[in-house]
Coordinates of all heavy atoms in Angstrom, one line a residue:
M292 N -5.5 -53.7 -6.7 CA -5.2 -52.6 -5.9 C -6.4 -52.3 -5.0 O -7.5 -52.3 -5.5 CB -4.8 -51.4 -6.8 CG -3.8 -50.4 -6.1 SD -2.4 -50.9 -5.2 CE -1.5 -51.9 -6.4
V293 N -6.2 -51.9 -3.8 CA -7.2 -51.6 -2.9 C -7.8 -50.2 -3.2 O -7.0 -49.3 -3.4 CB -6.8 -51.7 -1.4 CG1 -7.8 -51.3 -0.5 CG2 -6.2 -53.1 -1.1
M294 N -9.1 -50.0 -3.1 CA -9.7 -48.7 -3.4 C -10.0 -48.0 -2.1 O -10.2 -48.7 -1.0 CB -11.0 -48.9 -4.1 CG -10.9 -49.5 -5.5 SD -12.4 -49.6 -6.4 CE -13.1 -51.0 -5.5
D295 N -10.0 -46.7 -2.1 CA -10.5 -46.0 -0.9 C -11.6 -45.1 -1.4 O -12.1 -45.2 -2.5 CB -9.3 -45.1 -0.3 CG -8.8 -44.0 -1.2 OD1 -9.6 -43.5 -2.1 OD2 -7.6 -43.6 -1.1
T296 N -12.2 -44.4 -0.5 CA -13.4 -43.7 -0.8 C -13.2 -42.3 -1.4 O -14.2 -41.6 -1.8 CB -14.3 -43.5 0.5 OG1 -13.5 -42.8 1.5 CG2 -14.7 -44.8 1.1
N297 N -12.0 -41.8 -1.5 CA -11.7 -40.5 -2.1 C -11.5 -40.6 -3.6 O -10.8 -41.5 -4.0 CB -10.4 -39.9 -1.4 CG -10.6 -39.7 0.1 OD1 -11.6 -39.1 0.5 ND2 -9.6 -40.1 0.9
K298 N -12.0 -39.7 -4.3 CA -11.8 -39.6 -5.7 C -10.5 -38.8 -5.9 O -10.2 -37.8 -5.3 CB -12.9 -38.9 -6.4 CG -14.2 -39.6 -6.4 CD -15.2 -38.8 -7.2 CE -16.6 -39.4 -7.1 NZ -17.6 -38.6 -7.8
R299 N -9.7 -39.3 -6.9 CA -8.5 -38.7 -7.3 C -8.5 -38.5 -8.8 O -9.2 -39.2 -9.6 CB -7.3 -39.5 -7.0 CG -7.1 -39.7 -5.5 CD -5.8 -40.5 -5.2 NE -5.5 -40.6 -3.8 CZ -6.0 -41.4 -3.0 NH1 -6.8 -42.3 -3.4 NH2 -5.6 -41.4 -1.7
R300 N -7.7 -37.5 -9.3 CA -7.5 -37.3 -10.7 C -6.1 -37.5 -11.0 O -5.2 -36.8 -10.4 CB -8.0 -35.9 -11.1 CG -9.5 -35.6 -11.0 CD -9.9 -34.3 -11.5 NE -9.2 -33.3 -10.6 CZ -9.4 -32.0 -10.8 NH1 -10.2 -31.5 -11.7 NH2 -8.8 -31.1 -10.0
S301 N -5.8 -38.3 -11.9 CA -4.4 -38.5 -12.4 C -4.3 -38.1 -13.8 O -5.1 -38.6 -14.6 CB -4.0 -40.0 -12.2 OG -4.0 -40.4 -10.9
I302 N -3.4 -37.3 -14.2 CA -3.2 -36.8 -15.5 C -2.0 -37.4 -16.1 O -0.9 -37.3 -15.5 CB -3.2 -35.2 -15.5 CG1 -4.5 -34.7 -14.9 CG2 -3.0 -34.7 -16.9 CD1 -4.5 -33.2 -14.7
F303 N -2.1 -37.9 -17.3 CA -1.0 -38.5 -18.0 C -0.9 -37.9 -19.4 O -1.8 -37.6 -20.0 CB -1.3 -40.0 -18.3 CG -1.4 -40.8 -17.0 CD1 -2.7 -41.1 -16.5 CD2 -0.3 -41.4 -16.3 CE1 -2.9 -41.8 -15.4 CE2 -0.5 -42.1 -15.2 CZ -1.8 -42.3 -14.7
L304 N 0.4 -37.7 -19.8 CA 0.7 -37.4 -21.2 C 0.9 -38.7 -21.9 O 1.7 -39.6 -21.5 CB 1.9 -36.5 -21.3 CG 1.8 -35.1 -20.8 CD1 3.1 -34.4 -20.9 CD2 0.7 -34.3 -21.6
I305 N 0.3 -38.9 -23.1 CA 0.5 -40.1 -23.9 C 0.8 -39.6 -25.3 O -0.1 -39.3 -26.1 CB -0.8 -40.9 -23.8 CG1 -1.1 -41.3 -22.4 CG2 -0.6 -42.2 -24.7 CD1 -2.4 -42.1 -22.2
S306 N 2.1 -39.7 -25.7 CA 2.5 -39.1 -26.9 C 1.9 -39.8 -28.1 O 1.7 -39.2 -29.2 CB 4.0 -39.1 -27.0 OG 4.5 -40.5 -27.0
M307 N 1.5 -41.1 -28.0 CA 0.9 -41.8 -29.1 C -0.6 -41.6 -29.3 O -1.2 -42.1 -30.3 CB 1.2 -43.3 -29.0 CG 2.7 -43.7 -29.0 SD 2.9 -45.4 -28.6 CE 2.1 -46.1 -30.1
M308 N -1.2 -40.9 -28.4 CA -2.6 -40.7 -28.4 C -3.0 -39.4 -29.1 O -2.8 -38.3 -28.6 CB -3.2 -40.6 -27.0 CG -4.7 -40.5 -26.9 SD -5.2 -40.3 -25.2 CE -4.7 -38.6 -24.8
D309 N -3.5 -39.5 -30.4 CA -3.8 -38.3 -31.1 C -5.1 -38.4 -32.0 O -5.4 -37.5 -32.8 CB -2.7 -37.8 -31.9 CG -2.3 -38.8 -33.0 OD1 -2.9 -39.9 -33.1 OD2 -1.3 -38.5 -33.8
C310 N -5.8 -39.5 -31.8 CA -7.0 -39.7 -32.6 C -8.0 -40.6 -31.9 O -7.7 -41.2 -30.9 CB -6.7 -40.3 -34.0 SG -6.2 -42.0 -34.0
P311 N -9.2 -40.6 -32.3 CA -10.3 -41.4 -31.7 C -10.0 -42.9 -31.6 O -10.4 -43.6 -30.7 CB -11.5 -41.1 -32.5 CG -11.3 -39.8 -33.1 CD -9.8 -39.7 -33.4
A312 N -9.1 -43.4 -32.5 CA -8.8 -44.8 -32.5 C -8.0 -45.1 -31.2 O -8.3 -46.1 -30.5 CB -8.0 -45.2 -33.7
E313 N -7.0 -44.3 -30.9 CA -6.2 -44.5 -29.7 C -7.1 -44.3 -28.4 O -7.0 -45.0 -27.4 CB -5.0 -43.6 -29.6 CG -3.9 -44.0 -30.5 CD -3.9 -43.3 -31.8 OE1 -4.6 -42.4 -32.0 OE2 -3.1 -43.8 -32.7
E314 N -8.0 -43.3 -28.5 CA -8.9 -43.1 -27.4 C -9.8 -44.4 -27.1 O -9.9 -44.8 -26.0 CB -9.9 -42.0 -27.6 CG -10.9 -41.8 -26.5 CD -11.9 -40.6 -26.8 OE1 -11.5 -39.7 -27.6 OE2 -12.9 -40.6 -26.2
A315 N -10.2 -45.0 -28.2 CA -11.0 -46.3 -28.0 C -10.2 -47.4 -27.5 O -10.7 -48.1 -26.6 CB -11.6 -46.7 -29.4
I316 N -8.9 -47.5 -27.9 CA -8.1 -48.5 -27.4 C -7.8 -48.3 -25.9 O -7.9 -49.3 -25.1 CB -6.7 -48.5 -28.1 CG1 -6.9 -49.0 -29.6 CG2 -5.6 -49.3 -27.4 CD1 -5.7 -48.7 -30.5
I317 N -7.6 -47.1 -25.5 CA -7.4 -46.8 -24.1 C -8.6 -47.0 -23.2 O -8.6 -47.6 -22.2 CB -6.9 -45.3 -23.9 CG1 -5.5 -45.2 -24.5 CG2 -6.9 -44.9 -22.4 CD1 -4.9 -43.8 -24.6
R318 N -9.8 -46.6 -23.8 CA -11.1 -46.9 -23.1 C -11.3 -48.4 -22.8 O -11.6 -48.8 -21.7 CB -12.2 -46.3 -23.8 CG -12.4 -44.8 -23.7 CD -13.7 -44.3 -24.3 NE -13.8 -42.9 -24.3 CZ -14.1 -42.2 -23.2 NH1 -14.4 -42.8 -22.1 NH2 -14.1 -40.8 -23.3
R319 N -11.0 -49.2 -23.8 CA -11.1 -50.6 -23.7 C -10.1 -51.2 -22.6 O -10.5 -52.0 -21.8 CB -11.0 -51.4 -25.0 CG -12.2 -51.3 -25.9 CD -12.1 -52.2 -27.1 NE -10.9 -52.0 -27.9 CZ -10.9 -51.2 -28.9 NH1 -12.0 -50.5 -29.3 NH2 -9.8 -51.0 -29.7
G320 N -8.9 -50.7 -22.7 CA -7.9 -51.1 -21.8 C -8.1 -50.8 -20.3 O -7.7 -51.5 -19.4
L321 N -8.8 -49.7 -20.1 CA -9.0 -49.2 -18.7 C -10.4 -49.6 -18.2 O -10.7 -49.5 -17.0 CB -8.8 -47.7 -18.6 CG -7.4 -47.2 -18.9 CD1 -7.3 -45.7 -18.7 CD2 -6.4 -47.9 -18.0
S322 N -11.3 -50.1 -19.1 CA -12.7 -50.3 -18.7 C -12.8 -51.4 -17.6 O -13.8 -51.3 -16.9 CB -13.5 -50.7 -19.9 OG -13.1 -52.0 -20.4
G323 N -11.9 -52.3 -17.5 CA -12.1 -53.4 -16.5 C -11.5 -53.2 -15.2 O -11.5 -54.1 -14.3
I324 N -10.9 -52.0 -15.0 CA -10.2 -51.8 -13.7 C -11.2 -51.2 -12.7 O -11.8 -50.1 -12.8 CB -9.1 -50.7 -13.9 CG1 -8.1 -51.3 -14.9 CG2 -8.4 -50.4 -12.6 CD1 -7.0 -50.3 -15.2
P325 N -11.5 -52.0 -11.6 CA -12.3 -51.5 -10.5 C -11.7 -50.2 -9.9 O -10.5 -50.2 -9.7 CB -12.3 -52.7 -9.5 CG -11.9 -53.9 -10.2 CD -10.9 -53.3 -11.3
G326 N -12.5 -49.3 -9.7 CA -12.1 -48.0 -9.1 C -11.9 -46.9 -10.1 O -11.7 -45.7 -9.8
V327 N -11.8 -47.2 -11.4 CA -11.7 -46.2 -12.5 C -13.1 -45.7 -12.7 O -14.0 -46.4 -13.1 CB -11.1 -46.7 -13.8 CG1 -11.2 -45.7 -14.9 CG2 -9.6 -47.1 -13.5
I328 N -13.3 -44.4 -12.4 CA -14.6 -43.8 -12.5 C -14.9 -43.1 -13.8 O -16.0 -43.2 -14.3 CB -14.8 -42.8 -11.3 CG1 -14.6 -43.6 -10.0 CG2 -16.1 -42.1 -11.3 CD1 -14.4 -42.7 -8.8
D329 N -14.0 -42.4 -14.3 CA -14.2 -41.6 -15.5 C -12.9 -41.4 -16.2 O -11.8 -41.3 -15.6 CB -14.8 -40.2 -15.1 CG -15.3 -39.4 -16.3 OD1 -15.7 -40.0 -17.3 OD2 -15.2 -38.2 -16.3
L330 N -13.0 -41.2 -17.5 CA -11.8 -40.9 -18.4 C -12.2 -39.7 -19.2 O -13.2 -39.6 -19.8 CB -11.5 -42.1 -19.4 CG -11.3 -43.5 -18.8 CD1 -11.2 -44.5 -19.9 CD2 -10.1 -43.5 -17.9
Q331 N -11.2 -38.7 -19.2 CA -11.4 -37.5 -20.0 C -10.2 -37.3 -20.9 O -9.1 -37.3 -20.4 CB -11.6 -36.3 -19.0 CG -12.9 -36.4 -18.2 CD -13.0 -35.3 -17.2 OE1 -12.4 -34.2 -17.3 NE2 -13.9 -35.4 -16.3
F332 N -10.5 -37.2 -22.1 CA -9.4 -37.2 -23.2 C -9.3 -35.8 -23.7 O -10.2 -35.1 -24.1 CB -9.7 -38.1 -24.3 CG -9.7 -39.6 -23.9 CD1 -10.8 -40.2 -23.3 CD2 -8.5 -40.3 -24.1 CE1 -10.7 -41.5 -22.9 CE2 -8.5 -41.7 -23.7 CZ -9.6 -42.3 -23.1
D333 N -8.0 -35.3 -23.9 CA -7.7 -34.1 -24.6 C -6.7 -34.6 -25.7 O -5.5 -34.6 -25.5 CB -7.0 -33.1 -23.6 CG -6.6 -31.8 -24.3 OD1 -6.6 -31.8 -25.6 OD2 -6.1 -30.9 -23.6
L334 N -7.3 -34.9 -26.8 CA -6.5 -35.5 -27.9 C -5.5 -34.5 -28.5 O -4.4 -34.8 -28.8 CB -7.3 -36.0 -29.0 CG -8.2 -37.2 -28.6 CD1 -9.1 -37.6 -29.8 CD2 -7.4 -38.4 -28.1
F335 N -5.9 -33.2 -28.5 CA -5.0 -32.2 -29.1 C -3.8 -32.0 -28.3 O -2.7 -31.9 -28.9 CB -5.8 -30.8 -29.1 CG -5.0 -29.7 -29.7 CD1 -4.8 -29.6 -31.1 CD2 -4.4 -28.8 -29.0 CE1 -4.0 -28.6 -31.7 CE2 -3.6 -27.7 -29.5 CZ -3.5 -27.7 -30.9
N336 N -3.9 -32.1 -27.0 CA -2.7 -32.0 -26.1 C -2.2 -33.3 -25.6 O -1.2 -33.4 -24.8 CB -3.0 -31.1 -24.9 CG -3.2 -29.7 -25.3 OD1 -2.4 -29.1 -25.9 ND2 -4.4 -29.1 -24.9
R337 N -2.8 -34.4 -26.1 CA -2.4 -35.8 -25.8 C -2.4 -36.0 -24.3 O -1.4 -36.7 -23.8 CB -1.0 -36.1 -26.5 CG -1.1 -35.9 -28.0 CD 0.2 -36.1 -28.6 NE 0.1 -35.8 -30.1 CZ 0.7 -36.4 -31.0 NH1 1.5 -37.4 -30.7 NH2 0.5 -36.1 -32.3
Q338 N -3.4 -35.6 -23.7 CA -3.5 -35.8 -22.2 C -4.7 -36.6 -21.9 O -5.8 -36.5 -22.5 CB -3.7 -34.5 -21.5 CG -2.4 -33.7 -21.5 CD -2.4 -32.5 -20.5 OE1 -3.5 -32.2 -19.9 NE2 -1.3 -31.9 -20.3
L339 N -4.6 -37.5 -20.9 CA -5.6 -38.3 -20.4 C -5.8 -38.0 -18.9 O -4.8 -38.1 -18.2 CB -5.3 -39.8 -20.6 CG -6.2 -40.8 -19.8 CD1 -7.6 -40.7 -20.3 CD2 -5.6 -42.2 -20.0
M340 N -7.0 -37.7 -18.5 CA -7.3 -37.6 -17.0 C -8.1 -38.7 -16.6 O -9.2 -39.0 -17.2 CB -8.0 -36.2 -16.7 CG -8.2 -36.1 -15.2 SD -8.9 -34.5 -14.7 CE -10.5 -34.6 -15.3
V341 N -7.7 -39.4 -15.6 CA -8.4 -40.6 -15.1 C -8.9 -40.2 -13.7 O -8.1 -39.9 -12.8 CB -7.5 -41.8 -15.0 CG1 -8.3 -43.0 -14.4 CG2 -6.9 -42.2 -16.3
V342 N -10.2 -40.2 -13.5 CA -10.8 -40.0 -12.2 C -11.0 -41.4 -11.6 O -11.5 -42.3 -12.2 CB -12.1 -39.3 -12.3 CG1 -12.8 -39.1 -10.9 CG2 -12.0 -37.9 -13.0
H343 N -10.4 -41.6 -10.4 CA -10.4 -43.0 -9.8 C -10.4 -42.9 -8.3 O -10.3 -41.8 -7.7 CB -9.2 -43.7 -10.3 CG -7.9 -43.1 -9.9 ND1 -7.3 -43.4 -8.7 CD2 -7.1 -42.2 -10.5 CE1 -6.1 -42.8 -8.7 NE2 -6.0 -42.0 -9.7
S344 N -10.7 -44.1 -7.7 CA -10.6 -44.2 -6.3 C -9.5 -45.2 -5.8 O -9.6 -45.8 -4.7 CB -12.0 -44.6 -5.7 OG -12.4 -45.8 -6.3
L345 N -8.5 -45.4 -6.6 CA -7.4 -46.3 -6.3 C -6.4 -45.6 -5.4 O -6.3 -44.4 -5.4 CB -6.7 -46.7 -7.6 CG -7.6 -47.4 -8.6 CD1 -6.9 -47.6 -9.9 CD2 -8.1 -48.8 -8.1
E346 N -5.7 -46.4 -4.6 CA -4.7 -45.9 -3.7 C -3.5 -45.3 -4.5 O -2.8 -44.4 -4.1 CB -4.2 -46.9 -2.8 CG -5.2 -47.3 -1.7 CD -4.7 -48.3 -0.8 OE1 -3.5 -48.7 -0.8 OE2 -5.5 -48.8 0.1
D347 N -3.2 -45.9 -5.7 CA -2.1 -45.4 -6.5 C -2.5 -45.7 -8.0 O -3.6 -46.2 -8.3 CB -0.8 -46.0 -6.1 CG -0.8 -47.5 -6.3 OD1 -1.3 -48.1 -7.3 OD2 -0.2 -48.2 -5.4
D348 N -1.6 -45.3 -8.9 CA -1.8 -45.4 -10.3 C -1.2 -46.7 -11.0 O -1.3 -46.8 -12.2 CB -1.3 -44.2 -11.0 CG -1.9 -42.9 -10.5 OD1 -3.1 -42.9 -10.4 OD2 -1.2 -42.0 -10.2
A349 N -0.7 -47.6 -10.2 CA 0.0 -48.7 -10.8 C -0.9 -49.5 -11.7 O -0.4 -49.9 -12.8 CB 0.5 -49.6 -9.7
D350 N -2.1 -49.8 -11.4 CA -3.0 -50.6 -12.3 C -3.3 -49.8 -13.6 O -3.4 -50.4 -14.6 CB -4.3 -51.0 -11.6 CG -4.1 -52.0 -10.5 OD1 -3.0 -52.7 -10.5 OD2 -5.0 -52.2 -9.7
I351 N -3.4 -48.5 -13.4 CA -3.7 -47.7 -14.6 C -2.5 -47.7 -15.6 O -2.7 -47.9 -16.8 CB -4.1 -46.3 -14.2 CG1 -5.4 -46.3 -13.3 CG2 -4.2 -45.3 -15.4 CD1 -5.7 -44.9 -12.6
V352 N -1.4 -47.5 -15.0 CA -0.1 -47.4 -15.8 C 0.1 -48.8 -16.5 O 0.4 -48.9 -17.7 CB 1.1 -47.0 -15.0 CG1 2.4 -47.2 -15.8 CG2 0.9 -45.6 -14.5
T353 N -0.1 -49.9 -15.7 CA 0.1 -51.2 -16.3 C -0.9 -51.4 -17.5 O -0.5 -51.9 -18.5 CB -0.2 -52.3 -15.2 OG1 0.8 -52.1 -14.2 CG2 -0.1 -53.7 -15.8
A354 N -2.1 -51.0 -17.3 CA -3.1 -51.2 -18.4 C -2.8 -50.4 -19.6 O -2.9 -50.8 -20.7 CB -4.5 -50.9 -17.9
L355 N -2.3 -49.2 -19.4 CA -1.9 -48.3 -20.5 C -0.8 -48.9 -21.3 O -0.8 -48.9 -22.5 CB -1.6 -46.9 -20.0 CG -2.8 -46.1 -19.6 CD1 -2.3 -44.8 -18.9 CD2 -3.7 -45.7 -20.7
K356 N 0.2 -49.4 -20.5 CA 1.4 -50.0 -21.2 C 0.9 -51.3 -21.9 O 1.5 -51.6 -23.0 CB 2.5 -50.3 -20.2 CG 3.2 -49.1 -19.7 CD 4.3 -49.4 -18.8 CE 5.0 -48.1 -18.5 NZ 6.2 -48.4 -17.6
R357 N 0.0 -52.1 -21.4 CA -0.5 -53.3 -22.0 C -1.1 -53.0 -23.4 O -1.0 -53.9 -24.2 CB -1.5 -54.0 -21.1 CG -1.9 -55.4 -21.5 CD -2.8 -56.1 -20.5 NE -2.2 -56.3 -19.3 CZ -2.7 -55.9 -18.1 NH1 -3.9 -55.3 -18.0 NH2 -2.0 -56.1 -17.0
V358 N -1.7 -51.9 -23.5 CA -2.3 -51.6 -24.8 C -1.4 -50.8 -25.7 O -1.8 -50.2 -26.7 CB -3.7 -50.9 -24.7 CG1 -4.7 -51.7 -24.0 CG2 -3.6 -49.5 -24.0
G359 N -0.1 -50.7 -25.4 CA 0.9 -50.1 -26.2 C 1.1 -48.6 -26.0 O 1.8 -48.0 -26.8
M360 N 0.6 -48.0 -25.0 CA 0.8 -46.6 -24.7 C 1.9 -46.5 -23.7 O 2.1 -47.3 -22.8 CB -0.5 -46.0 -24.2 CG -1.7 -46.1 -25.1 SD -1.4 -45.3 -26.7 CE -2.5 -46.1 -27.7
N361 N 2.6 -45.4 -23.7 CA 3.7 -45.1 -22.7 C 3.4 -43.8 -22.0 O 3.8 -42.7 -22.4 CB 5.1 -45.0 -23.4 CG 6.2 -44.9 -22.5 OD1 6.1 -45.4 -21.3 ND2 7.3 -44.4 -22.9
P362 N 2.6 -43.9 -20.9 CA 2.2 -42.7 -20.2 C 3.3 -42.1 -19.4 O 4.2 -42.7 -18.8 CB 1.2 -43.3 -19.2 CG 1.6 -44.7 -18.9 CD 2.2 -45.2 -20.2
T363 N 3.3 -40.7 -19.4 CA 4.2 -39.9 -18.6 C 3.4 -38.9 -17.9 O 2.3 -38.6 -18.3 CB 5.3 -39.3 -19.4 OG1 4.8 -38.4 -20.4 CG2 6.2 -40.3 -20.1
S364 N 3.9 -38.3 -16.9 CA 3.2 -37.2 -16.3 C 3.6 -35.9 -16.9 O 4.7 -35.8 -17.4 CB 3.5 -37.2 -14.8 OG 4.8 -36.8 -14.5
P365 N 2.8 -34.9 -16.8 CA 3.2 -33.6 -17.4 C 4.5 -33.1 -16.8 O 5.3 -32.5 -17.5 CB 2.0 -32.7 -17.0 CG 0.8 -33.6 -16.8 CD 1.4 -34.9 -16.3
A366 N 4.8 -33.4 -15.5 CA 6.0 -32.9 -14.9 C 7.2 -33.6 -15.4 O 8.3 -33.0 -15.3 CB 5.9 -33.0 -13.4
T367 N 7.1 -34.8 -16.0 CA 8.3 -35.5 -16.4 C 8.4 -35.6 -17.9 O 9.3 -36.4 -18.4 CB 8.2 -37.0 -15.8 OG1 7.1 -37.6 -16.3 CG2 8.3 -36.9 -14.3
S368 N 7.6 -34.9 -18.6 CA 7.6 -35.1 -20.1 C 8.6 -34.2 -20.8 O 8.6 -34.2 -22.0 CB 6.2 -34.9 -20.6 OG 5.8 -33.5 -20.4
G369 N 9.4 -33.4 -20.1 CA 10.2 -32.4 -20.8 C 11.5 -32.9 -21.3 O 12.5 -32.1 -21.1
G370 N 11.7 -34.1 -21.7 CA 13.0 -34.5 -22.3 C 13.7 -35.5 -21.4 O 13.3 -35.7 -20.2
G371 N 14.6 -36.2 -21.9 CA 15.3 -37.2 -21.2 C 14.5 -38.4 -21.0 O 13.4 -38.5 -21.5
A372 N 15.0 -39.3 -20.1 CA 14.2 -40.5 -19.8 C 13.0 -40.1 -19.0 O 13.1 -39.4 -18.0 CB 15.1 -41.5 -19.1
D373 N 11.8 -40.6 -19.3 CA 10.7 -40.3 -18.5 C 10.6 -41.2 -17.3 O 11.3 -42.2 -17.2 CB 9.4 -40.3 -19.4 CG 9.0 -41.7 -19.9 OD1 9.3 -42.7 -19.2 OD2 8.4 -41.8 -21.0
A374 N 9.7 -40.8 -16.4 CA 9.6 -41.5 -15.1 C 9.1 -43.0 -15.3 O 9.5 -43.9 -14.6 CB 8.6 -40.8 -14.2
C375 N 8.3 -43.2 -16.3 CA 7.8 -44.6 -16.6 C 8.9 -45.5 -17.0 O 9.0 -46.6 -16.6 CB 6.7 -44.6 -17.6 SG 5.2 -43.8 -17.1
D376 N 9.9 -45.0 -17.8 CA 11.0 -45.8 -18.2 C 11.9 -46.1 -17.0 O 12.6 -47.1 -17.0 CB 11.8 -45.0 -19.3 CG 11.1 -44.9 -20.6 OD1 10.2 -45.8 -20.8 OD2 11.4 -44.0 -21.4
K377 N 11.9 -45.3 -16.0 CA 12.8 -45.5 -14.8 C 12.0 -46.3 -13.8 O 12.5 -46.6 -12.7 CB 13.3 -44.2 -14.3 CG 14.2 -43.5 -15.2 CD 14.8 -42.3 -14.5 CE 13.8 -41.1 -14.6 NZ 14.3 -39.9 -14.1
G378 N 10.7 -46.6 -14.0 CA 10.0 -47.4 -13.1 C 9.4 -46.6 -11.9 O 9.0 -47.1 -10.9
E379 N 9.4 -45.3 -12.0 CA 8.9 -44.5 -11.0 C 7.8 -43.5 -11.5 O 8.1 -42.4 -11.8 CB 10.0 -43.7 -10.3 CG 11.0 -43.0 -11.2 CD 12.1 -42.3 -10.6 OE1 11.8 -41.1 -10.3 OE2 13.1 -42.8 -10.3
V380 N 6.6 -44.0 -11.7 CA 5.6 -43.2 -12.2 C 5.1 -42.2 -11.2 O 4.8 -42.5 -10.1 CB 4.4 -44.1 -12.7 CG1 3.3 -43.3 -13.2 CG2 4.9 -45.1 -13.7
R381 N 5.1 -40.9 -11.7 CA 4.6 -39.8 -10.8 C 3.6 -38.9 -11.5 O 3.9 -37.8 -11.8 CB 5.8 -39.0 -10.4 CG 6.8 -39.7 -9.5 CD 8.0 -38.9 -9.2 NE 8.9 -39.1 -10.4 CZ 9.7 -38.2 -10.9 NH1 9.8 -37.0 -10.3 NH2 10.4 -38.5 -11.9
P382 N 2.5 -39.5 -11.9 CA 1.5 -38.6 -12.5 C 1.0 -37.6 -11.6 O 1.0 -37.8 -10.3 CB 0.4 -39.6 -12.9 CG 0.5 -40.7 -12.0 CD 2.0 -40.8 -11.6
E383 N 0.5 -36.5 -12.1 CA -0.2 -35.5 -11.3 C -1.4 -36.1 -10.7 O -2.3 -36.5 -11.4 CB -0.5 -34.3 -12.2 CG -1.2 -33.2 -11.5 CD -1.5 -32.1 -12.5 OE1 -0.7 -31.7 -13.4 OE2 -2.6 -31.5 -12.3
V384 N -1.5 -36.1 -9.4 CA -2.7 -36.6 -8.7 C -3.3 -35.5 -7.9 O -2.7 -34.8 -7.1 CB -2.3 -37.8 -7.8 CG1 -3.5 -38.3 -7.0 CG2 -1.7 -38.9 -8.6
Q385 N -4.6 -35.3 -8.1 CA -5.3 -34.3 -7.4 C -6.6 -34.9 -6.9 O -7.1 -35.8 -7.4 CB -5.8 -33.2 -8.4 CG -4.6 -32.6 -9.2 CD -5.1 -31.6 -10.3 OE1 -6.2 -31.7 -10.7 NE2 -4.2 -30.8 -10.7
R386 N -7.1 -34.3 -5.8 CA -8.4 -34.7 -5.3 C -9.4 -34.2 -6.2 O -9.4 -33.0 -6.6 CB -8.6 -34.2 -3.9 CG -7.6 -34.7 -2.9 CD -8.1 -36.0 -2.4 NE -7.1 -36.5 -1.4 CZ -6.9 -37.7 -1.1 NH1 -7.5 -38.7 -1.7 NH2 -6.1 -38.1 -0.2
A387 N -10.4 -35.1 -6.6 CA -11.5 -34.6 -7.4 C -12.5 -34.0 -6.5 O -12.7 -34.4 -5.4 CB -12.1 -35.8 -8.2
P388 N -13.2 -32.9 -7.0 CA -14.2 -32.3 -6.2 C -15.4 -33.2 -5.9 O -15.7 -34.1 -6.5 CB -14.7 -31.1 -7.1 CG -14.2 -31.4 -8.5 CD -13.1 -32.4 -8.4

């Protein structure tokens, strides 16, 4: 994926992430993606914030799924089929300061 010069923050809910072991798995899975700048984990709330300079989140979502995680966005996590299952990932994306 092509990178741009703007930093973005994408926030994912990952229901399987609740301990340092899953954090380590995710860190390894995302470490090789050019454009991923920082990872911030909230294990208690099962949230991952990825600071990146990618045009979209496709490579991030693919890498998370590759390591056995099923990311959803906070907006789509409230029941029913999530956006990832329907192939339309819509994580919360914000411009990083």
Side-chain angles (χ1 to χ4, degrees):
M292 205 47 54
V293 177
M294 294 181 287
D295 66 27
T296 57
N297 296 315
K298 290 183 186 175
R299 292 182 174 87
R300 293 184 297 183
S301 298
I302 300 172
F303 300 94
L304 289 177
I305 303 176
S306 62
M307 296 176 64
M308 181 184 74
D309 63 358
C310 73
E313 283 96 12
E314 178 180 340
I316 290 168
I317 291 169
R318 283 190 186 279
R319 281 192 303 271
L321 297 180
S322 67
I324 300 176
V327 171
I328 299 165
D329 188 32
L330 303 174
Q331 297 178 13
F332 292 84
D333 177 353
L334 296 177
F335 182 76
N336 291 306
R337 299 176 187 214
Q338 289 191 351
L339 167 65
M340 182 173 69
V341 181
V342 179
H343 62 90
S344 60
L345 302 170
E346 289 181 5
D347 61 40
D348 299 315
D350 290 344
I351 297 167
V352 171
T353 298
L355 288 169
K356 288 184 175 184
R357 189 175 297 128
V358 297
M360 302 297 157
N361 189 24
T363 62
S364 71
T367 61
S368 64
D373 65 32
C375 292
D376 290 338
K377 295 186 278 183
E379 47 179 273
V380 177
R381 292 172 280 145
E383 177 182 320
V384 177
Q385 304 170 342
R386 296 277 182 207

